[in-house]
Amino acid sequence: MTTNDYLQMGLYLAVLVLLVKPLGGYIAALFSDTPNRVTRIGAGSERFIYRLCGIRADEDMGWKRYALAVLLFNILGVLVVYALQRLQPWLPLNPQHFGAVSADSSMNTAISFATNTNWQGYGGESTMSYLTQMLGLAVQNFVSAATGIAVLIAVIRGFSRRSAAGLGNFWVDLTRSTLYLLLPLSLLLTLLLVSQGVVQNFKPYLDVSALQATTVSEPALDAAGNPEKDAAGNALMKPVQVGTQTLPMGPAASQIAIKQLGTNGGGFFNVNSAHPFENPTPLSNFAELLAILLIPAALCYTFGQMVGDRRQGWSLLAVMLVIFIPLLLACTAAEQAGNPLLAHLGVDQHASALQAGGNMEGKETRFGIVNSTIWATATTAASNGSVNAMHDSFTPIGGLVPMWLMQLGEVIFGGVGSGLYGMLAFAVVAVFIAGLMVGRTPEYLGKKIEAYEMKMASLAVLLPCALVVIGTAIAVMAPAGVAGIANPGAHGFSEMLYAVSSASNNNGSAFAGLSANTPFWNVLLGICMFLARFPLIVAMLAMAGALAAKRHVPESAGTLPTHTPLFVTLLACVVIVVGALTFLPALALGPIAEQLMSVHSISLGH
Amino acid sequence: MFKLLRQSFMLLLVLTVITGVLYPLAATGLSQLVFPHQANGSLIERDGKPVGSALIGQSFTDPKYFWGRPSATTPNPYNANASSGSNQGPTHSALADAVKQRVTALRAADPGNTAPVPVDLVTASGSGLDPEISQAAAQYQLDRVARARGLSSAQVQALVNEYTSGRQLGILGEPRVNVLRLNLALDMPRTHGS
């Protein structure tokens, strides 16, 4: 790796960690039970919204009511996004006259955006009208992220409240996340992105005449308009000059800002943030990259603040970094080393002052290697899923890192809100294991962890694992599943494993060679995304409800402190062991086999 | 249950208006006011007509132009209407074949040049629309372009330098050369014999 690789990774992590405290403190103030400077500013508009919707802001919801509100609101969201796609030809703001999206693809996309996954089976610039993008997809970008934050805040209240019946008010938590956190940050990021060249307009696509016309071969047609065939029955091709280039337009920046901040990841254009109109410069890339981990990292501090012991928040952030940094280094080293199969073709892959070198297939020149690998690691550590390089073309080890980060359950930063409540489930499991070792009833943050809480936490930990393993097995056995593969051999298996891992952990990134916009894949992944999101939310709220009702246990000599390096190590080990034990066999069939094969073929001199 | 349903519906409606209508309109208004050139696609005009965007690459195969990154878009390369990478895995034989063909094409256009080919010049970009190449890729092609145009290497080098951007803020990203803007500059009529 080059010096600049280290510099850019170091700068990114330094800026991220510096922002944790100010933003985390701000978020904690938003959800504080006492009115403060932050909540007073928007109090008027908040009251207006609640009156309009018939919401009583002081209603304290029990966990079941809170969960029911989450489910109703999100399922309604699924239905709206579905309807918008099916009806878009008859609705306004469709200058390219796109037709209705197919039923299975609409279902998949609706679930995908409502669950904060933002898996995309379609190509944005050739499928979705501006109206669908704005009223459907962009709105879900906000409210699915806000839902994640709201649920996390409710779970934190489960730890911080004592002998309480309620977890707060979902409507208030949702509204405040959206109005005070996501909206202002998005507007700020939008302007920064536009200054760098991200498009933001409502114009139709623009035809320009290219400097040099290109020649493409198209099937030749006879007078009747049927394809002509030669004697062997192959379609005859004829050269056609293409002299124009159609530049896509649209309100991209405003949507990109929230897709990064809300760990959504659904791009405005097909290739997401690799598209120069979506991510035009290294600075826009840095800002988008920062936005991926910003809120998930800051929420750790919010957690510490709200439970009254900031060290608890820092120790969870430490667990995330302890796992994140080595994986980032591994991914970067693998990609910077390049593709051994190209080495003897007369290609120069060495890093030098004049080029980034490395495995540049599927990567953009302005980002080079290191900005592509920071992104790949961050976007899969968080459940963002946006990409600025094509993960399908990563080296076997470079591609293993993002896949495994998703399989760890999206708790290394994870989705906004959902990452941290997932990590809290792991923390509960970790203190339980520690309790078993010393033969004492485990406690976490002054609450006794008993059978019910353990059941809910285990459910939250194991459900995504089960979905990945079962979903991949179904895909491998079904002809319609295997039909989507683009690359032969072990890499083809990786494509399927990656897709199901991505959906079952609400990430949304892809080994994009897989042709997943088919009824089989749309339905399978749609089910995985739905089950990975809502049952898990209910389990976590149930655990929080039980915890809130408990009394506070004062710390004693037998209490395991949960802010020490010892606990950080223990928790990191639990996360890794669950992830490794569950997925090592599957990974061995995919990226590990491919890595061995590429080493093998070189030693044979192929 | 019914009350929750009504609240869900109303709040979704209100948040849709705020985040789905007011937010993009405010963002568009502000962007058009402050950064109109960028918000509308960073277009490059020649003789008053747009010939492309500084951010979107175009396909070049003529030896007198600098060539950009190979593009995997269909049906034609650099189809800005359907951005796409190749998605070929590192061990896919199609990838090695494609790279071999690209090396051959570059060598055929510049028979005397036996230097190893910079990797970005023979691997498809992620978007299929990458507007830039590495400095190494520009250097590799420099003599070919100069010869095809009857210019000295120094003249072409001066233009390459002009359209090279360093790391942003001195640290971010990679140094790179904008291919379309460089080629447009090469096509400009030269005055004072320069």
Side-chain angles (χ1 to χ4, degrees):
Chain A
M1 286 190 279
T2 65
T3 318
N4 185 263
D5 288 350
Y6 288 110
L7 270 176
Q8 296 207 47
M9 287 188 276
L11 180 73
Y12 174 67
L13 290 171
V15 173
L16 178 70
V17 171
L18 276 178
L19 289 173
V20 163
K21 188 176 169 190
L23 186 64
Y26 172 80
I27 300 174
L30 288 186
F31 298 104
S32 142
D33 291 331
T34 48
N36 53 59
R37 225 169 21 162
V38 179
T39 47
R40 261 198 291 271
I41 298 171
S45 41
E46 241 189 285
R47 263 199 307 276
F48 176 73
I49 292 174
Y50 299 148
R51 193 150 7 111
L52 204 63
C53 304
I55 290 166
R56 275 190 40 221
D58 56 358
E59 183 197 353
D60 194 22
M61 296 179 174
W63 81 262
K64 285 180 189 152
R65 194 163 178 79
Y66 202 102
L68 191 61
V70 172
L71 292 179
L72 285 176
F73 182 81
N74 280 279
I75 289 169
L76 201 63
V78 171
L79 295 178
V80 169
V81 179
Y82 180 83
L84 277 170
Q85 295 175 83
R86 300 291 284 156
L87 300 175
Q88 69 176 12
W90 300 280
L91 296 172
L93 275 179
N94 185 3
Q96 299 305 117
H97 305 290
F98 293 133
V101 184
S102 73
D104 56 291
S105 173
S106 300
M107 182 277 275
N108 180 285
T109 305
I111 294 177
S112 168
F113 277 73
T115 55
N116 198 247
T117 309
N118 303 52
W119 169 268
Q120 292 173 295
Y122 60 90
E125 64 269 56
S126 54
T127 314
M128 299 289 178
S129 74
Y130 291 167
L131 189 83
T132 310
Q133 296 252 24
M134 284 166 56
L135 289 194
L137 307 185
V139 171
Q140 287 303 318
N141 279 349
F142 277 98
V143 297
S144 68
T147 297
I149 297 174
V151 171
L152 169 70
I153 298 298
V155 171
I156 296 176
R157 288 189 189 119
F159 286 104
S160 65
R161 290 187 175 179
R162 292 163 191 191
S163 313
L167 293 175
N169 185 309
F170 175 63
W171 308 128
V172 174
D173 295 341
L174 182 79
T175 308
R176 288 190 176 171
S177 310
T178 310
L179 290 189
Y180 300 144
L181 179 63
L182 298 173
L183 260 181
L185 281 179
S186 300
L187 210 52
L188 215 62
L189 184 57
T190 301
L191 286 178
L192 178 69
L193 293 181
V194 174
S195 80
Q196 296 300 302
V198 178
V199 291
Q200 178 72 25
N201 58 52
F202 286 98
K203 298 181 175 176
Y205 295 4
L206 178 72
D207 283 333
V208 296
S209 50
L211 200 51
Q212 186 198 328
T214 47
T215 314
V216 289
S217 27
E218 277 185 5
L221 301 179
D222 61 20
N226 298 316
E228 286 186 62
K229 304 246 167 99
D230 63 11
N234 297 319
L236 275 176
M237 304 299 273
K238 63 168 188 203
V240 176
Q241 293 275 313
V242 180
T244 59
Q245 190 182 39
T246 305
L247 299 176
M249 294 284 153
S254 56
Q255 194 172 321
I256 293 160
I258 182 62
K259 78 138 173 161
Q260 294 303 107
L261 284 163
T263 58
N264 294 288
F268 197 82
F269 303 111
N270 186 37
V271 289
N272 210 292
S273 279
H275 199 293
F277 273 168
E278 192 151 338
N279 189 6
T281 68
L283 183 60
S284 70
N285 188 68
F286 188 80
E288 291 183 19
L289 205 42
L290 200 58
I292 294 178
L293 293 188
L294 182 62
I295 297 178
L299 283 171
C300 292
Y301 186 87
T302 306
F303 165 74
Q305 176 108 334
M306 287 182 77
V307 299
D309 182 358
R310 290 187 195 129
R311 294 171 307 179
Q312 304 292 342
W314 288 117
S315 71
L316 293 187
L317 185 64
V319 174
M320 297 178 182
L321 287 171
V322 160
I323 298 179
F324 181 81
I325 292 173
L327 288 174
L328 170 62
L329 291 172
C331 186
T332 311
E335 292 304 302
Q336 189 69 66
N339 183 349
L341 296 179
L342 303 186
H344 58 97
L345 298 178
V347 177
D348 180 10
Q349 301 187 78
H350 296 292
S352 72
L354 295 181
Q355 68 165 8
N359 174 27
M360 283 299 286
E361 180 72 24
K363 296 190 180 65
E364 298 280 296
T365 310
R366 59 195 177 284
F367 307 140
I369 298 297
V370 68
N371 284 292
S372 305
T373 56
I374 302 177
W375 190 296
T377 318
T379 196
T380 50
S383 77
N384 189 292
S386 61
V387 296
N388 77 346
M390 297 299 113
H391 294 182
D392 212 343
S393 297
F394 273 33
T395 60
I397 300 303
L400 183 147
V401 167
M403 197 174 339
W404 197 51
L405 271 166
M406 293 189 299
Q407 291 166 344
L408 289 180
E410 290 300 3
V411 296
I412 311 305
F413 298 103
V416 286
S418 62
L420 192 52
Y421 65 66
M423 183 58 104
L424 287 171
F426 272 102
V428 165
V429 172
V431 291
F432 180 78
I433 291 171
L436 283 183
M437 288 194 254
V438 294
R440 210 172 169 284
T441 311
E443 304 155 13
Y444 187 49
L445 307 170
K447 293 289 174 90
K448 273 204 161 64
I449 304 297
E450 289 165 301
Y452 183 75
E453 292 81 45
M454 260 314 286
K455 277 184 205 156
M456 292 302 140
S458 313
L459 195 66
V461 166
L462 294 179
L463 184 69
C465 299
L467 286 173
V468 174
V469 175
I470 297 170
T472 309
I474 293 174
V476 171
M477 289 187 294
V482 180
I485 292 175
N487 283 276
H491 196 82
F493 176 74
S494 295
E495 287 180 343
M496 294 194 286
L497 178 63
Y498 194 102
V500 183
S501 300
S502 175
S504 304
N505 288 288
N506 293 141
N507 181 283
S509 68
F511 269 19
L514 186 76
S515 305
N517 196 1
T518 61
F520 173 86
W521 279 106
N522 279 330
V523 171
L524 176 71
L525 298 178
I527 293 171
C528 287
M529 290 188 283
F530 191 90
L531 292 181
R533 177 78 168 179
F534 298 114
L536 215 140
I537 284 180
V538 174
M540 290 310 291
L541 287 173
M543 184 186 91
L547 286 171
K550 293 186 187 212
R551 283 204 317 268
H552 184 77
V553 190
E555 214 170 290
S556 70
T559 306
L560 171 75
T562 50
H563 60 267
T564 56
L566 178 70
F567 183 73
V568 169
T569 314
L570 174 70
L571 181 50
C573 288
V574 170
V575 173
I576 289 173
V577 165
V578 170
L581 285 184
T582 318
F583 297 109
L584 205 57
L587 290 169
L589 293 175
I592 296 173
E594 194 185 8
Q595 169 72 14
L596 295 176
M597 271 157 41
S598 85
V599 173
H600 182 65
S601 68
I602 286 165
S603 62
L604 289 180
H606 285 309
Chain B
M1 173 88 179
F2 178 75
K3 193 174 135 208
L4 276 181
L5 199 61
R6 203 193 57 208
Q7 290 169 332
S8 296
F9 182 80
M10 287 305 295
L11 192 56
L12 183 59
L13 195 71
V14 169
L15 290 180
T16 299
V17 172
I18 294 174
T19 61
V21 181
L22 297 180
Y23 162 66
L25 286 183
T28 309
L30 275 173
S31 309
Q32 291 288 341
L33 197 70
V34 189
F35 306 110
H37 173 70
Q38 292 95 320
N40 294 317
S42 309
L43 299 178
I44 309 176
E45 297 200 340
R46 191 167 61 173
D47 312 325
K49 278 196 303 192
V51 289
S53 162
L55 300 175
I56 305 285
Q58 294 185 2
S59 174
F60 294 101
T61 49
D62 192 320
K64 70 174 182 175
Y65 287 123
F66 280 90
W67 301 359
R69 302 283 305 277
S71 162
T73 63
T74 52
N76 52 311
Y78 287 93
N79 177 3
N81 212 0
S83 57
S84 172
S86 74
N87 287 313
Q88 281 160 349
T91 54
H92 196 329
S93 58
L95 174 64
D97 292 344
V99 169
K100 247 181 255 176
Q101 268 182 20
R102 290 163 189 156
V103 172
T104 311
L106 281 162
R107 296 244 196 268
D110 189 8
N113 192 348
T114 54
V117 185
V119 62
D120 61 310
L121 210 45
V122 289
T123 47
S125 63
S127 62
L129 305 172
D130 194 339
E132 292 148 341
I133 51 175
S134 69
Q135 289 172 295
Q139 291 306 320
Y140 179 85
Q141 304 182 66
L142 200 144
D143 287 335
R144 183 196 77 216
V145 174
R147 218 167 34 244
R149 290 182 176 262
L151 298 171
S152 74
S153 294
Q155 285 171 314
V156 180
Q157 181 74 59
L159 281 176
V160 168
N161 292 346
E162 192 178 333
Y163 293 100
T164 300
S165 323
R167 291 204 166 94
Q168 219 167 352
L169 311 177
I171 177 167
L172 297 176
E174 302 293 335
R176 59 216 184 273
V177 182
N178 189 300
V179 177
L180 177 62
R181 293 180 65 203
L182 173 59
N183 283 335
L184 277 167
L186 282 166
D187 272 358
M188 289 280 274
R190 239 148 280 279
T191 49
H192 315 302
S194 67

